[in-house]
Amino acid sequence: MSVIAIVGGQWGDEGKGKVIDLLAEKARVVARFSGGDNAGHTVINPYGEFRLHLVPSGIFYPQVTCIISNGVVINPAVLLEEIDDLHNHGVDTSRLFISARAHLIMPYHTILDGLEEDRRNKGALGTTRRGIGPVFADKVARLGIRAGDLLDRDIFWGRLSAALEFKNIILTKVYQVSPLSAEEIYGQYCHYGEQLAPFIRETSSIIREAATKGELVLLEGAQGALLDPDFGTYPYVTSSSTLAGASCIGTCLGPRESDRVVGIFKAYNTRVGAGPMPTELKDEIGDLIREKAREYGATTGRPRRCGWFDAVAGRFSVQINGLSDIALTHLDIYDGFSSIKICTAYKFNDEVLTSFPSDIAILEKCQPIYEELDGWQESISGIRNFDKLPAAARNYMSRLEDLLSCPISLVSIGPDRRQIISVKELFS
Ligand code: GDP
């Protein structure tokens, strides 16, 4: 078996939850390595329909140990609610562990996220206002509070009071709002700490042990490549790395330890929030995709912007992640389309660009250059064999493989766990 990193190839919401839920059947460990509860994975399986924000998507299998790793930031209230919801649906969470190194979202992070978005006004980034940006900023500013701190009340009080002294200056002097009470936050978080204590531990040894034994370890990403703070559409990006490289730092493994890197791509593109998206369709085709695929955010309910597949961005994503495989999802959404377009290059002034620009000022002015392929009329959701897919669907996949220079190993043709076709063997 092997270590497989699974990452979003586009702007997030590609269907990572569904693919991980499927692959986890053979896994020993599933470790989420980045982001916070701004990400939401939808999983539909025999237990019901779940929107997981923090708990890894392997939680539904009794043999899987699930880890919320050091690269993730945790809002304890959200996590406790999610654990409760899983219990209520009969899901066992005794194999869930939280890295003692994971940073905690504190009340001032959420408040500051909202105040900063309001201050940006028309230039708002479209954050989920859940405190994710501010908590990652505190992590590198060495002001953060980590899950392990909750296990020692003296340490926790010392770190909280030091951080809050500074945060209250920002709240009162910069934003002119009321200060927060250290005692109140302390009481609330000690209560969370008591409930979370059985889950908090040093987790890297669990991952390392499974990897050393050759058991299947899945490293679960959040959001997508084009939201990465270094390589995404900066500043319209998220605040922790979404790339496969982060799966090492965000867990404990070294760069040589992943055997495969699977990028999840939708058959079209979506984006939530602000920022450039060259293939966005603000017409009835975009609306049709949104309604057919229920493209509304799992975490925020916000309608997602929809458009044709952008192979310029897709190729870039394959490169910056070092993808070995692609899992293509939502191919069924194109059922009944007479033709399907793929963006193969951008027109920028008089130039034709085939690589993804680093500057959004350029990307915002790029016009997509499309190639048009035949669509198919039949429903493909019930098909379980690649050879039975309509020739036009196979042709579409083959053209994407050429344009992206990466094989498609899985194709998903509906939201259900069974609606997936294995095209090439993923496990060595
Ligand atoms: P994630 O964050 O990448 O896991 O993605 P989301 O959960 O935000 O969105 C994916 C949505 O698409 C969920 O509602 C899934 O149930 C659904 N889904 C996943 N794969 C497919 C597919 O192949 N076809 C269709 N129609 N829906 C899918």
Side-chain angles (χ1 to χ4, degrees), residues 13-18 40-42 304 330 332-333 412-415:
D13 310 314
E14 298 91 349
K16 293 176 289 295
K18 171 181 167 169
H41 298 322
T42 310
R304 296 176 184 145
H330 295 78
D332 53 299
I333 299 304
S412 170
I413 31 84

Side-chain angles (χ1 to χ4, degrees), residues 292 332-340 373-381 383 389-393:
K292 251 184 120 174
D332 53 299
I333 299 304
Y334 278 151
D335 291 355
F337 277 54
S338 54
S339 69
I340 300 168
L373 278 73
D374 286 342
W376 56 92
Q377 290 312 303
E378 54 270 64
S379 162
I380 60 171
S381 296
I383 296 175
L389 284 172

Side-chain angles (χ1 to χ4, degrees), residues 196-351:
L196 289 176
F199 300 99
I200 301 171
R201 56 165 284 175
E202 198 290 312
T203 51
S204 62
S205 54
I206 306 176
I207 301 173
R208 182 150 303 288
E209 192 187 321
T212 308
K213 279 191 192 154
E215 293 171 322
L216 178 62
V217 175
L218 300 179
L219 308 177
E220 172 178 328
Q223 288 117 355
L226 304 171
L227 292 172
D228 182 74
D230 282 87
F231 289 97
T233 49
Y234 192 86
Y236 297 100
V237 293
T238 192
S239 17
S240 60
S241 177
T242 56
L243 302 181
S247 68
C248 299
I249 300 161
T251 53
C252 69
L253 296 172
R256 291 187 302 137
E257 289 174 279
S258 283
D259 299 279
R260 300 191 94 96
V261 181
V262 180
I264 319 293
F265 287 80
K266 274 179 188 162
Y268 46 88
N269 268 85
T270 62
R271 171 163 204 166
V272 75
M277 176 181 172
T279 62
E280 181 173 11
L281 292 167
K282 293 181 180 164
D283 60 9
E284 65 284 358
I285 301 178
D287 294 343
L288 177 66
I289 295 174
R290 184 178 309 105
E291 292 317 312
K292 251 184 120 174
R294 293 191 291 143
E295 291 291 358
Y296 294 90
T299 301
T300 58
R302 289 186 285 188
R304 296 176 184 145
R305 299 153 66 193
C306 300
W308 299 116
F309 192 96
D310 183 340
V312 182
R315 208 160 36 230
F316 182 60
S317 171
V318 169
Q319 291 161 357
I320 56 180
N321 278 302
L323 296 186
S324 60
D325 302 83
I326 288 174
L328 187 72
T329 67
H330 295 78
L331 191 62
D332 53 299
I333 299 304
Y334 278 151
D335 291 355
F337 277 54
S338 54
S339 69
I340 300 168
K341 291 184 184 173
I342 304 175
C343 166
T344 55
Y346 301 144
K347 190 159 185 299
F348 173 66
N349 297 331
D350 291 332
E351 276 177 82

